[in-house]
Amino acid sequence: MTIKLRGIMLGNPCTHKLECLTSIRYSRFCIDKFYSTGFIEKELYNQYKSECLIDESSKACIDIQNKIIALFKSTGANIYNLYGYCFYPKYPSQF
């Protein structure tokens, strides 16, 4: 019996070894995206890079990651749709 596999679909697979670290909730790639899309400021991002460049499992790195994650979550944005409209924003409305 042969199976003619034409393709495979994966949901959120790890495509790089640094994406699947168990010591952190969001990978460095997520945090890079948070910065590039304006969810975190440059100062905080630079602090993250200086603390986490060598050891992402250090206490200092985990502390700054937790701060970044808390800031991101406070926006009410959806991690799977960063560019989508936020129906329930947790930040003050500017309109």
Side-chain angles (χ1 to χ4, degrees):
M1 177 178 160
T2 59
I3 299 173
K4 295 183 179 182
L5 182 65
R6 291 184 170 213
I8 187 167
M9 183 183 302
L10 304 172
N12 291 340
C14 296
T15 56
H16 190 280
K17 66 181 180 176
L18 294 175
E19 287 181 317
C20 297
L21 297 175
T22 57
S23 61
I24 58 173
R25 171 70 174 97
Y26 295 104
S27 72
R28 70 171 60 177
F29 305 104
C30 284
I31 294 176
D32 287 345
K33 191 65 173 180
F34 293 162
Y35 173 67
S36 69
T37 52
F39 284 98
I40 58 175
E41 294 179 5
K42 187 173 186 172
E43 182 180 326
L44 185 59
Y45 181 68
N46 288 338
Q47 185 181 359
Y48 164 77
K49 288 194 315 183
S50 69
E51 294 292 344
C52 301
L53 184 62
I54 296 173
D55 184 10
E56 286 188 319
S57 62
S58 72
K59 182 177 179 342
C61 180
I62 291 172
D63 288 345
I64 193 70
Q65 288 171 355
N66 287 334
K67 183 176 182 179
I68 290 170
I69 292 165
L71 285 171
F72 174 73
K73 286 183 176 183
S74 73
T75 67
N78 182 343
I79 186 73
Y80 296 107
N81 188 11
L82 292 178
Y83 298 107
Y85 180 76
C86 184
F87 292 104
Y88 304 104
K90 296 181 181 179
Y91 48 86
S93 175
Q94 295 181 6
F95 301 105

